[in-house]
């Protein structure tokens, strides 16, 4: 009976403890969890299960590694926030699977993403045919973002490209420049024309249909 009560009490305790820990680690949708988030969540869950199933384990010995994992995740999340290179290393980058209606099989092979995966995710978005898709981007979270072709012929003529990030956190995205057949020199010259001489001060810069969107980094 005593063990039963201990298990009930520990279950309730760790339930609320995990809620608090996850709250401190920030709000993320399940589908948007990074690899770091997923690993930490699994480890914390396993530690809680062990502590509940084994009443002889001192509760402090279970709480300590859980809190430690929480701080590790927060520190790595801060590093990820500051470093684009670290984000790419851990989370990877989005991949354009369908570009202007054409399937990029090279990108699919690189992501180990097959046609069954593609068709499944298209059906989940109520899209019956690949022919209806203008762009499909496989996000770093594994979800598929889809932009459908416009039905009206006049609208199709006006339909442009997708938004292409050219600068993230002060770093020029060379791969995205190649996608739009532009160079580093071209980008710097265009930015100078607009009065932006220091790329490092630009937090985000995108390019779509010949137009730039530029956001400067917040001043400390």
């Amino acid at each position: 009976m005593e063990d039963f009560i201990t298990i009930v009490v520990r279950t309730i305790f760790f339930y609320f403890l995990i809620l608090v820990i996850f709250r401190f680690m920030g709000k993320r949708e399940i589908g948007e969890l990074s690899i770091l988030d997923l690993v930490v969540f699994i480890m914390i869950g396993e530690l809680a299960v062990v502590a509940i199933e084994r009443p002889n384990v001192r509760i402090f010995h279970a709480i300590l590694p859980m809190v430690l994992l929480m701080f590790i995740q927060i520190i790595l999340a801060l590093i990820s926030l500051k470093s684009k290179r670290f984000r790419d290393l851990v989370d990877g980058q989005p991949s354009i699977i369908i570009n202007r209606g054409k399937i990029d099989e090279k990108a699919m092979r690189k992501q180990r993403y097959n046609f069954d995966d593609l068709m499944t995710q298209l059906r989940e978005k109520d899209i019956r045919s690949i022919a209806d898709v203008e762009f499909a981007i496989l996000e770093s979270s594994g979800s598929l973002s889809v932009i459908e072709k416009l039905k009206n012929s006049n609208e199709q003529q006006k339909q442009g490209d997708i938004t292409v990030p050219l600068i993230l956190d002060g770093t020029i995205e060379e791969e995205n420049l190649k996608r739009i057949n532009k160079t580093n020199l071209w980008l710097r010259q265009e930015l100078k024309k607009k009065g932006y001489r220091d790329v490092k001060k630009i937090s985000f810069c995108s390019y779509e249909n010949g137009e730039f969107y530029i956001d400067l980094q917040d001043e400390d």
Side-chain angles (χ1 to χ4, degrees), residues 44 47 59-72:
I44 288 177
L47 287 168
I59 198 166
F60 175 77
H61 290 168
I63 294 175
L64 180 61
M66 293 172 69
V67 173
L68 180 60
L69 285 170
M70 179 189 73
F71 281 110
I72 290 174

Side-chain angles (χ1 to χ4, degrees), residues 2 6 26 29 39 41 47 49 60 75 81 90 101 105 120 122 132 141 147 152 154 163 169 177-178 185 205-206:
E2 183 179 347
T6 301
E29 292 184 13
V39 170
F41 286 4
L47 287 168
V49 169
F60 175 77
I75 292 170
L81 186 66
V90 174
E105 295 182 4
T120 297
L122 289 177
D132 297 330
S141 64
I147 300 174
N152 186 289
N154 293 328
T163 300
D169 296 330
L177 280 172
K178 291 178 182 178
L185 178 61
C205 171
S206 64

Side-chain angles (χ1 to χ4, degrees), residues 7-26:
I7 290 174
V8 171
V9 171
R10 286 193 173 206
T11 300
I12 296 172
F13 172 79
F14 281 107
Y15 172 78
F16 286 104
L17 177 62
I18 290 175
L19 284 181
V20 171
I21 289 175
F22 286 2
R23 180 66 184 86
F24 271 108
M25 290 195 301

Side-chain angles (χ1 to χ4, degrees), residues 163-182:
T163 300
V164 179
L166 299 182
I167 299 175
L168 294 174
D169 296 330
T171 302
I172 295 176
E173 297 293 296
E174 300 289 350
E175 287 297 321
N176 288 342
L177 280 172
K178 291 178 182 178
R179 286 177 182 170
I180 60 173
N181 297 317
K182 301 295 184 181

